[in-house]
Amino acid sequence: FHAEPHKAMSEFAGRISRPRPERAGVCDATRLATRLPNGLPPAAENDYALSFNGVDQFMSAALPTVFTDIASNDCSVSLWFKADDLSVPSPWIRLFEAAYDVDEFIHLTVAPIGKPQLYVNDPGGNYQAGVDSVLNTGQWYHIVGVWDASENDAKLYLDGVLQSGAGQSGAAWGGTQSLYLAKRGDGGFYTGELDEVSIWDVALDADA
């Protein structure tokens, strides 16, 4: 299944979204990262994953309210990705972007070091959490970015494992108040596939 340029996310919501966990605020990271025996995320086996060409294909949606006050609101973003290219042009590649304004935005992005990271910006500063090691292209990974606003704490899980890699600062919003998959507001297109995208209005806990 291939994403068409400029399609609204709502048109594909049934294919890419996952229900909220039964207990709000609790995330079993191992469960979220469960693969099928063939190593694929569940929807990808049925060819429901969305494919992006890195040139002009992306998805957009109205900005969920949880992202309109990142300084106060906890949130978490979960998705599967299989990148065809992890080299980094300028602007940085986006797997996911939710931007309210120049001071408040959150990304799952590929930084210049070639590693995916969670990047959170609020009026008080910016916060990053990166993966521990360089990833392979052509391989499915599950990633969860968790933001605890009260603690100014950004956490990143890869395949159910909490990461300790240092992220890089310097990312900016794309100039558009919106939510995007596979690009930022003004560029930074992603080449590869995305699947099982989920958003929560809580800071998920991996200790379930």
Side-chain angles (χ1 to χ4, degrees):
F1 193 95
H2 294 272
E4 298 177 32
H6 308 282
K7 282 288 187 179
M9 182 191 278
S10 59
E11 296 185 39
F12 301 100
R15 296 178 182 265
I16 66 173
S17 62
R18 178 189 291 272
R20 176 191 294 273
E22 293 181 3
R23 289 182 289 162
V26 178
C27 167
D28 184 340
T30 301
R31 181 184 66 81
L32 280 178
T34 298
R35 299 170 186 267
L36 296 172
N38 58 11
L40 296 176
E45 185 182 51
N46 297 319
D47 203 24
Y48 286 162
L50 302 179
S51 180
F52 301 91
N53 64 10
V55 178
D56 59 4
Q57 292 182 329
F58 64 94
M59 293 176 64
S60 63
L63 187 69
T65 56
V66 67
F67 299 117
T68 61
D69 187 4
I70 291 173
S72 301
N73 294 338
D74 295 346
C75 59
S76 302
V77 179
S78 165
L79 58 82
W80 289 82
F81 71 97
K82 182 176 73 172
D84 294 336
D85 185 0
L86 286 172
S87 61
V88 182
S90 180
W92 300 3
I93 293 170
R94 297 289 194 270
L95 305 175
F96 172 96
E97 172 172 291
Y100 181 63
D101 60 22
V102 66
D103 291 321
E104 298 194 81
F105 53 85
I106 182 169
H107 306 151
L108 288 172
T109 187
V110 181
I113 54 176
K115 299 178 182 179
Q117 69 175 35
L118 172 66
Y119 191 102
V120 181
N121 198 94
D122 70 14
N126 57 75
Y127 312 87
Q128 308 89 37
V131 301
D132 293 337
S133 58
V134 175
L135 304 184
N136 297 320
T137 57
Q139 178 176 333
W140 280 105
Y141 295 97
H142 181 258
I143 194 168
V144 182
V146 178
W147 169 242
D148 186 329
S150 63
E151 300 294 331
N152 288 332
D153 184 33
K155 289 186 173 70
L156 189 69
Y157 296 85
L158 183 73
D159 290 341
V161 178
L162 180 63
Q163 301 294 288
S164 59
Q168 285 188 278
S169 61
W173 78 311
T176 303
Q177 192 178 97
S178 192
L179 183 150
Y180 291 101
L181 298 181
K183 68 164 285 189
R184 81 172 201 170
D186 59 353
F189 290 93
Y190 163 75
T191 307
E193 295 178 72
L194 297 176
D195 195 14
E196 298 284 328
V197 180
S198 301
I199 297 168
W200 289 268
D201 58 1
V202 293
L204 296 177
D205 187 340
D207 294 329

